Each structure stands twice: as C-alpha cells, then as structure tokens.
Amino acid sequence: MSINELIKGWDGEYLVVRYERAAEAWIFIAVHSTRLGHPTGGTRMKVYDAPEEGLRDAQRLAEGMTYKWAGIDFGLGGGKAVIALSRPLDEAERDRLLERHGALIESLGGAFSTGADLGVGPELIEVIRRRTRYALGGSAGDPGPYTSLGVFSGCRAVAAEAFGSRDLAGRTVLIQGLGDVGVPLSRRLAEAGARLKLADMDAARARDLSGQYGAKVVAPEKVYDEACDIFAPCAVGGVLNEKTIARLSCRAVCGAANNQLEFDDDAERLHARRILYAPDFITNAGGAIALPGLELMGMSEEAVLASIESIEGTLGEIFREARKNDESPLRAALRRAERVLERGPAAR
Ligand code: NAI
Ligand code: PHE
C-alpha cells in the first residue's frame, strides 16, 4: 500500500510525517487514541526496505500502545514514533537525526511523549532529550528491567494456567532476543530455577549469556522447532504466523516483543493448537508502567514494582475468562481493553 493509502485507511487520530533529506530517513509519529489521556509511546529506529513499512509499523505499534494502556487501565493514550532508515547511519549522522526527532517532538508542544524502543536504547534517549522535554527515560532509566519483571510475572501466570503451578523451577523457557529485556529476563528466570534456552542473531551474545546460566544456545532459524515449555519472543514483531505456529513445540508463549502475532487471527491458530498465548500488550507493559509512573505520576518505586507484578493477576483473569468461553486469550484481553476505552479515563 502507498503512504497515501495507509494514511487514509488508518483508524487512528493523526500522523506527523517528516522526510529527513540529509539522513534519507522518514520520521512517522502516529497518535492512535487520546481517549484515555496523553499519547505516549516509544521511538523505534531501524532500516526498512521501504518507508511504507515504517509507517505501517508506526500505525500498528501506536494501536498496540492504545490497547496496552487500556489493558492495564493506565490513563495515557496510544502513540508511537518510527524513524524509518533507508540505510545504516554512522554515529554522527544518527545523533543529528535523533536531535532533529527531538526538536520535532518539542515542536508539538507536549502533544506526544516518547521513550525507548527497538533501536533506541536509553543512551540514545539522552540524545533525543537534548532537544525536547517530552522524552521519558531520564530518572527512571532503562525500561528493559521493568519490562522483564512484567514478562517474568506473566510467565508465572502462564505456568499456573498451563501447568497448574506458578512455580517456574524446572520449566524450560526459550528466549528469542537477548537485548534490553531478554538479558534481565534470563537472570530472573535462572534465579527462579527455570531451565533456559537462548537465541540471538548475535551469536556471541547468546554464547556469553548461555555460559553464565548453563543454558543451551539455539540457532535463530531453529527457534520455532525447539521443544520448550514457554517460548518468550523478545526480539522483533510478527514472529507468530501461519508458518511458525505450525512448527511450534511449546505449551505457551509469553514474551516482550510488540505485535508478536502477524495478524490477530494467529491467536486463533495458537488456540486451535492448545498453545496458551499471553497477549503481548498486557505481558510487556512493565516499562510502560515504570517510565510515566516514576517520571510523570510521582509513583514510588515500590508502587511501580507492585503494579508491574500485578500483570500476573491480570493475565490470570484473562486466561480464566478465555477458558470459560473456550476462546483465545487475545479475545478476552481485547474485550477487557475495550471496556476501559468505552468507559474513558478512570476517575481520580
Ligand atoms: P533490543 O534491541 O535491546 O534487543 C533485541 C535483541 O533481539 C537484540 O539482541 C537482537 O540481536 C535480537 N534479535 C533481533 N532479531 C532477532 C531474531 N530474528 N532472532 C533472534 N534474535 C533477534 O530490544 P529490547 O528493548 O530488548 O526489546 C525487545 C522487544 O520487546 C521489542 O519488540 C520491543 O518493542 C519490545 N518491548 C521492549 C520494551 C523495553 O522496555 N525495552 C518494552 C515493551 C516491549
Ligand atoms: N517502548 C516500550 C513499550 O512499547 C517502552 C515505553 C513505553 C517507552 C511507554 C515509552 C513509553 O512499552
């Protein structure tokens, strides 16, 4: 689809589009919904084959943020920024581009706040912050460890539903992607006695971390065939699709990646195979709770951690409802989020 068609066909509220001539890159800021509050979401930066793919990513990720905030009933709106590169940049070019992205956000006068996402770690948030007040990730730091706590809590809910006990000792968890989230998740799971299998495109990264935990290294292309109790996608989106779901050899999926399902229907494929799916926008909300919680809302660290750990209870309720209706947990989670969106912001 062309950029024109993508913009016209979208059900979100508005888009900001800018072409950066010097870097030959596009910036898309997609605001999907302000129904619950101020639109807030990370900035993703990566090379795309075509700018249309970057725009589509921004739109889907912004929609995901709407459901993330609604699913945990947090009074913020859904938005996301994507910097679609046409080629890799050197450090100086990259920093100039990120500064211009910061200036663009600042020019919106607080209409959108951002933070870290794939390709924009906490150190690059610092570069964006040179030019805008609307970038989270300053005092709260890196969202990855908070997100990993949410995914870990999600694994407990999954274990309770799929195996009858929240205890993760002896359970085999396969983590795809060992970055900001995957690394602290590995540590938490190892401490809880889980057996780890680890995969990353960066083979040295997988080898080093596996050495620390006595884990098995799995080649990235073998991930979908590898037997495990829980598969934890913590790399890129779209990894659960018609082809990969047919290959999966796990009892449950619970990970951090945004938009793990290529299409919503893929949740039905998982359900048909009796593979329990923890909806990504609930499971990966830890960083989204921590950043605004600590930096905008004055929550204490203890309150933030407790709120993230409550992801276990939220998923437990979603799994119960899905079991009762013999439906995929995605349906139950979307209904839960839609109830909140219909109600509007909670009274404070
Ligand atoms: P990151 O960029 O720090 O790490 C991603 C890792 O995955 C890298 O080590 C990369 O080499 C690896 N990777 C990429 N493609 C792969 C593949 N096909 N197979 C195996 N490994 C692959 O990213 P981060 O921050 O850890 O985020 C991971 C995912 O979780 C992303 O989808 C992100 O949108 C999502 N997420 C992250 C949050 C955070 O707090 N960082 C919060 C919510 C969601
Ligand atoms: N990008 C992460 C997410 O998708 C963390 C984040 C949340 C960053 C909210 C900024 C704002 O959840």
Side-chain angles (χ1 to χ4, degrees), residues 240-259:
L240 301 172
N241 55 47
E242 192 176 356
K243 285 196 182 129
T244 59
I245 291 170
R247 289 163 59 187
L248 287 181
S249 176
C250 61
R251 176 65 186 83
V253 177
C254 178
N258 280 307
N259 298 341

Side-chain angles (χ1 to χ4, degrees), residues 181-231:
V181 180
V183 168
L185 177 63
S186 312
R187 180 182 52 75
R188 287 183 199 284
L189 287 167
E191 282 168 6
R195 276 197 291 263
L196 295 181
K197 294 185 173 183
L198 303 176
D200 199 287
M201 294 301 264
D202 180 341
R205 198 172 255 243
R207 216 177 30 243
D208 289 354
L209 204 63
S210 297
Q212 272 182 48
Y213 300 125
K216 176 178 175 186
V217 177
V218 178
E221 67 282 2
K222 297 274 171 60
V223 158
Y224 307 107
D225 310 301
E226 183 72 26
C228 58
D229 292 315
I230 303 175
F231 170 45

Side-chain angles (χ1 to χ4, degrees), residues 9 12 103 130 147 181 230 248 251 291 312 324 332:
R130 289 180 196 153
T147 304
V181 180
I230 303 175
L248 287 181
R251 176 65 186 83
L291 259 51
E312 182 179 350
K324 200 177 78 201

Side-chain angles (χ1 to χ4, degrees), residues 45 94-95 98 119-129:
M45 180 168 67
R94 179 201 67 194
D95 284 6
L98 287 172
V120 182
E123 67 301 340
L124 297 187
I125 286 296
E126 283 311 311
V127 181
I128 296 176
R129 284 163 72 86

Side-chain angles (χ1 to χ4, degrees), residues 27-285:
I27 299 177
F28 302 107
I29 297 176
V31 170
H32 181 257
S33 167
T34 53
R35 173 85 178 126
L36 297 182
H38 178 74
T40 307
T43 291
R44 171 169 297 197
M45 180 168 67
K46 68 187 214 54
V47 175
Y48 289 87
D49 290 337
E52 289 78 5
E53 287 176 21
L55 171 57
R56 187 69 201 111
D57 229 7
Q59 292 174 325
R60 283 199 73 200
L61 290 162
E63 186 179 344
M65 287 308 298
T66 297
Y67 282 97
K68 189 177 305 194
W69 298 125
I72 55 172
D73 202 355
F74 220 73
L76 291 172
K80 197 92 177 191
V82 164
I83 304 180
L85 304 177
S86 57
R87 56 179 167 84
L89 302 180
D90 67 32
E91 220 175 288
E93 269 183 308
R94 179 201 67 194
D95 284 6
R96 263 197 307 277
L97 178 61
L98 287 172
E99 284 190 10
R100 289 180 60 81
H101 178 53
L104 176 61
I105 291 174
E106 186 65 25
S107 75
L108 302 178
F112 170 71
S113 292
T114 201
D117 199 75
L118 201 82
V120 182
E123 67 301 340
L124 297 187
I125 286 296
E126 283 311 311
V127 181
I128 296 176
R129 284 163 72 86
R130 289 180 196 153
R131 301 289 294 278
T132 182
R133 293 162 288 169
Y134 305 110
L136 301 167
S139 53
D142 182 357
Y146 294 106
T147 304
S148 76
L149 176 61
V151 178
F152 177 74
S153 304
C155 287
R156 287 209 180 282
V158 156
E161 179 70 16
F163 308 114
S165 161
R166 68 193 284 277
D167 189 1
L168 291 165
R171 294 279 160 224
T172 305
V173 185
L174 165 56
I175 306 178
Q176 177 191 46
L178 306 168
D180 259 5
V181 180
V183 168
L185 177 63
S186 312
R187 180 182 52 75
R188 287 183 199 284
L189 287 167
E191 282 168 6
R195 276 197 291 263
L196 295 181
K197 294 185 173 183
L198 303 176
D200 199 287
M201 294 301 264
D202 180 341
R205 198 172 255 243
R207 216 177 30 243
D208 289 354
L209 204 63
S210 297
Q212 272 182 48
Y213 300 125
K216 176 178 175 186
V217 177
V218 178
E221 67 282 2
K222 297 274 171 60
V223 158
Y224 307 107
D225 310 301
E226 183 72 26
C228 58
D229 292 315
I230 303 175
F231 170 45
C234 296
V236 289
V239 294
L240 301 172
N241 55 47
E242 192 176 356
K243 285 196 182 129
T244 59
I245 291 170
R247 289 163 59 187
L248 287 181
S249 176
C250 61
R251 176 65 186 83
V253 177
C254 178
N258 280 307
N259 298 341
Q260 288 165 37
L261 302 169
E262 189 170 324
F263 301 109
D264 280 1
D265 276 358
D266 293 314
E268 307 309 321
R269 291 185 217 284
L270 287 165
H271 184 59
R273 287 208 55 205
R274 298 283 149 200
I275 295 173
L276 183 68
Y277 171 62
D280 49 9
F281 59 87
I282 305 283
T283 307
N284 70 15

